[in-house]
Amino acid sequence: MEKVVFGVDLGGTTVKLGLFDTEGNVLDKWEIPTRKEDNGRQILPDIAQAVKEKMKEKGYSDENVSGIGIGVPGPVDSEGTIYKAANLGWGVMNINKELGALTGLTVKAGNDANVAALGEMWKGGGKGYRNMVAVTLGTGVGGGIIVDGRLLAGATGAGGEIGHIHVEDGEQEACGCGNRGCLEQYASATGVVRLAKRALAGSSQDSMLRSGEISAKTVFDAVKAGDTLAMEVAGKFGEYLGKGLAVVAGVVNPEIFVIGGGVSKAGPVLIDYIRKYYEPNVFHGSRNAKFALATLGNDAGIYGAAKLVLS
Amino acid sequence: MEKVVFGVDLGGTTVKLGLFDTEGNVLDKWEIPTRKEDNGRQILPDIAQAVKEKMKEKGYSDENVSGIGIGVPGPVDSEGTIYKAANLGWGVMNINKELGALTGLTVKAGNDANVAALGEMWKGGGKGYRNMVAVTLGTGVGGGIIVDGRLLAGATGAGGEIGHIHVEDGEQEACGCGNRGCLEQYASATGVVRLAKRALAGSSQDSMLRSGEISAKTVFDAVKAGDTLAMEVAGKFGEYLGKGLAVVAGVVNPEIFVIGGGVSKAGPVLIDYIRKYYEPNVFHGSRNAKFALATLGNDAGIYGAAKLVLS
């Protein structure tokens, strides 16, 4: 009998859904809006309905479906309990049970960054590895850690929250998490912009960055054009991230780091800046860890969610 | 049929052996010397002989023995391959296979610090928890990480090597690992002594530490006696270790830290100094992690080795 699995990536604006065979081939892919009204109480029923409609359309019975995997924007423990999803208005809830009751199917939930990491390991930049750290450099810095093929969820679902490791004692501004000096304040897209603005303000050096709006993209474009000040900014970014990942490696000793998110579009030059500070600061047992760019883009979440069910 | 398991803790001077029932009760406990001549080639045959003699003495056949667990002083991956044990003269070898061939029994090997962590989780300070970080503050700083009840070995057996995470950019002296500014340089027994000597040299302040030999014990004894300079030294120790463990928590999100090794004999005051710097620097998802002292002392290794076989 044909077996399929649903992979769901629940975001603040849209829910991405994928239908996969058990080998990880995409059979279908679509989106529905995330309805956040009433503290997001329509979200899971909407997902259940979307899944049921797709099953009907394709002629699948419950026996054809191995389950639904779902990545959600908040800390999720290994039993599928989410502790809070501020973006969605959700409080504590067991997603495996709630969505399971709505669909009659097996459900496995995980944190979205962790689930995306699993996707990259299965079909993306980390394919073939079993010990991996995924780093997502977007608006924030997310992380997902895979140990011996399994997601590291942590005691309260906060495993792999590497954006909030402390890397700078001198920081005056608060991070979104309330602390000061978190990795995210320097290595995210907004972090790179902050570093660039500080560099511009602290120097009178000529730079391409002095005209137009500054973004992580304009900074790394300027780096590629040989702009000295932009290269200094990239150096600071690389120092924070390289040293931070050296510490992460000291803890979990991965085979590979897979770097994704908007900032990673800068390409291989990003990895050069990271490695420059990673190598001299890491324990020798992890010095040969590989660095690769993520390859699945926005689809990493649905792949990983499907894999949650299959692994 | 009665089932038993052997737990072996292989050290640089002695091999500790324990015989356990499957509930973890100690039936027997003894030691043999570690013969390091000829690059340590007698070590595994000696252990095999010790096990076989004990089986004969107790009247056990191979069917009674679930296996031999062994902790060794070097990086060991999840398949039992040790990459190097400089202390013993060993190069790369698969211990599970070698000792298995010598005894005809199932063998599971792990890194000694990791195995001791497993022991503390099973029967010691971390009993009842499944997500734990064990920190051994001895001559060096060792670590053992348990995720969802399983040891985190890492890609090359260097998982949990938290003594070598980088915590200080300004360090001039090299750590034993070759890097500069490793946590071990400040939070080990020798690290505390270094901090104390630096504090004494950098100040003319009166202190109990100015007379007699300085050790981690004399420093924390002086702290308990209200010695101001010793309290500053303990504060620096707590700052390095507390911030370091905050980063570890940001990566693996444990339920509990279990602090062992010689320095931990200072008792609860140690945890006060650690928490003071842990709490303001850790991601909120791990802020409520517990701290406990290890309780098994030198027996943690044999307990954890036995548990390796049973888990």
Side-chain angles (χ1 to χ4, degrees):
Chain A
M1 186 178 54
E2 189 184 357
K3 279 281 193 182
V4 295
V5 53
F6 287 91
V8 181
D9 183 11
L10 170 51
T13 312
T14 58
V15 182
K16 297 189 188 70
L17 297 103
L19 175 67
F20 296 83
D21 66 21
T22 55
E23 301 300 309
N25 297 303
V26 182
L27 307 175
D28 204 346
K29 204 170 85 169
W30 73 107
E31 294 185 1
I32 60 172
T34 304
R35 287 203 283 157
K36 292 193 285 188
E37 57 265 30
D38 287 342
N39 289 323
R41 78 179 47 166
Q42 284 307 313
I43 295 173
L44 291 183
D46 284 352
I47 292 170
Q49 191 187 340
V51 165
K52 286 296 185 185
E53 282 172 0
K54 187 62 65 178
M55 286 171 63
K56 195 170 172 190
E57 176 192 326
K58 301 280 185 182
Y60 294 134
S61 71
D62 284 4
E63 283 65 43
N64 292 105
V65 181
S66 298
I68 305 171
I70 178 168
V72 297
V76 181
D77 71 14
S78 58
E79 309 298 318
T81 298
I82 185 163
Y83 288 89
K84 196 181 182 182
N87 269 349
L88 307 176
W90 286 1
V92 179
M93 161 169 59
N94 188 293
I95 298 168
N96 295 3
K97 287 183 187 158
E98 298 275 339
L99 188 56
L102 288 166
T103 56
L105 297 167
T106 300
V107 174
K108 289 202 180 164
N111 166 266
D112 53 2
N114 290 352
V115 167
L118 197 58
E120 286 289 341
M121 188 185 71
W122 193 28
K123 295 288 174 183
K127 199 171 171 178
Y129 294 94
R130 292 181 57 79
N131 290 283
M132 182 184 119
V133 174
V135 183
T136 307
L137 307 173
T139 314
V141 171
I145 295 173
I146 293 163
V147 173
D148 230 357
R150 291 156 36 117
L151 267 178
L152 191 163
T156 61
E161 279 285 0
I162 63 173
H164 301 286
I165 61 177
H166 180 80
V167 297
E168 172 63 61
D169 286 340
E171 182 60 51
Q172 299 302 312
E173 291 176 29
C175 177
C177 77
N179 290 353
R180 285 169 213 276
C182 292
L183 179 58
E184 177 164 303
Q185 292 184 278
Y186 314 99
S188 62
T190 45
V192 172
V193 172
R194 285 173 77 243
L195 289 175
K197 288 186 174 167
R198 286 183 183 182
L200 289 166
S203 136
S204 56
Q205 202 175 322
D206 196 30
S207 169
M208 292 166 65
L209 300 176
R210 294 203 184 273
S211 59
E213 197 160 339
I214 299 170
S215 66
K217 182 177 187 316
T218 61
V219 169
F220 281 99
D221 284 348
V223 166
K224 290 171 196 165
D227 186 282
T228 309
L229 190 131
M231 288 163 80
E232 287 169 19
V233 171
K236 287 298 280 180
F237 159 89
E239 183 172 356
Y240 283 116
L241 187 52
K243 285 184 180 174
L245 296 185
V247 173
V248 173
V251 181
V252 299
N253 182 216
E255 296 164 273
I256 189 167
F257 287 93
V258 177
I259 315 289
V263 179
S264 73
K265 290 181 185 157
V269 64
L270 198 78
I271 291 177
D272 297 339
Y273 277 105
I274 297 170
R275 289 199 75 111
K276 181 176 173 193
Y277 293 92
Y278 174 82
E279 287 174 14
N281 287 294
V282 76
F283 183 59
H284 51 72
S286 293
R287 196 158 290 145
N288 295 326
K290 292 176 181 61
F291 283 79
L293 294 169
T295 62
L296 299 179
N298 290 332
D299 285 347
I302 57 171
Y303 277 95
K307 181 63 176 162
L308 262 189
V309 174
L310 298 173
S311 54
Chain B
M1 185 179 53
E2 190 184 355
K3 277 282 192 182
V4 295
V5 54
F6 287 91
V8 181
D9 182 13
L10 170 51
T13 312
T14 59
V15 183
K16 297 189 189 72
L17 298 103
L19 176 66
F20 296 84
D21 66 21
T22 53
E23 300 300 308
N25 298 303
V26 183
L27 306 176
D28 205 345
K29 202 170 87 171
W30 74 107
E31 294 186 2
I32 60 172
T34 304
R35 288 203 282 159
K36 292 194 285 190
E37 57 265 31
D38 287 342
N39 289 324
R41 81 179 46 166
Q42 283 307 313
I43 295 173
L44 291 183
D46 284 352
I47 292 170
Q49 192 188 342
V51 165
K52 286 295 184 182
E53 281 173 2
K54 188 61 68 180
M55 286 171 64
K56 197 170 169 191
E57 178 193 324
K58 302 279 186 184
Y60 294 134
S61 71
D62 285 5
E63 284 66 42
N64 293 106
V65 181
S66 298
I68 305 172
I70 178 169
V72 297
V76 180
D77 71 14
S78 57
E79 309 298 319
T81 297
I82 186 163
Y83 287 88
K84 196 181 181 183
N87 269 347
L88 307 176
W90 286 1
V92 178
M93 163 169 60
N94 188 292
I95 297 169
N96 295 3
K97 286 183 188 159
E98 298 273 340
L99 188 56
L102 288 166
T103 57
L105 297 167
T106 301
V107 173
K108 290 203 181 161
N111 166 266
D112 54 1
N114 290 354
V115 167
L118 197 58
E120 287 289 341
M121 187 186 71
W122 193 29
K123 296 287 174 181
K127 198 170 170 178
Y129 295 93
R130 293 179 57 80
N131 291 282
M132 182 184 119
V133 174
V135 183
T136 306
L137 307 173
T139 314
V141 171
I145 295 174
I146 293 163
V147 173
D148 229 357
R150 291 156 36 117
L151 268 178
L152 190 162
T156 61
E161 279 284 0
I162 63 172
H164 300 286
I165 61 176
H166 181 80
V167 297
E168 173 63 61
D169 286 340
E171 182 61 50
Q172 300 303 311
E173 291 175 30
C175 177
C177 78
N179 290 353
R180 286 169 213 275
C182 292
L183 179 58
E184 177 164 305
Q185 292 184 278
Y186 315 98
S188 62
T190 45
V192 172
V193 172
R194 286 172 77 242
L195 288 175
K197 287 185 174 166
R198 286 183 183 181
L200 289 166
S203 135
S204 56
Q205 201 176 323
D206 197 30
S207 168
M208 294 165 65
L209 299 176
R210 294 205 183 271
S211 59
E213 198 161 340
I214 298 171
S215 66
K217 182 177 185 321
T218 62
V219 170
F220 281 99
D221 284 348
V223 166
K224 289 172 196 167
D227 186 283
T228 309
L229 190 132
M231 288 163 80
E232 287 169 20
V233 172
K236 287 298 281 180
F237 159 90
E239 183 172 356
Y240 284 116
L241 187 52
K243 285 184 180 172
L245 296 185
V247 172
V248 173
V251 181
V252 298
N253 182 217
E255 296 164 272
I256 189 167
F257 287 93
V258 177
I259 315 288
V263 179
S264 73
K265 290 181 184 157
V269 64
L270 199 79
I271 292 177
D272 297 340
Y273 277 104
I274 298 170
R275 287 200 77 111
K276 181 176 174 192
Y277 294 92
Y278 175 83
E279 286 174 13
N281 288 294
V282 75
F283 182 60
H284 52 71
S286 293
R287 196 158 289 146
N288 295 326
K290 291 176 181 63
F291 282 79
L293 294 169
T295 64
L296 299 179
N298 289 333
D299 286 347
I302 57 172
Y303 276 95
K307 182 62 176 163
L308 263 189
V309 174
L310 297 173
S311 53

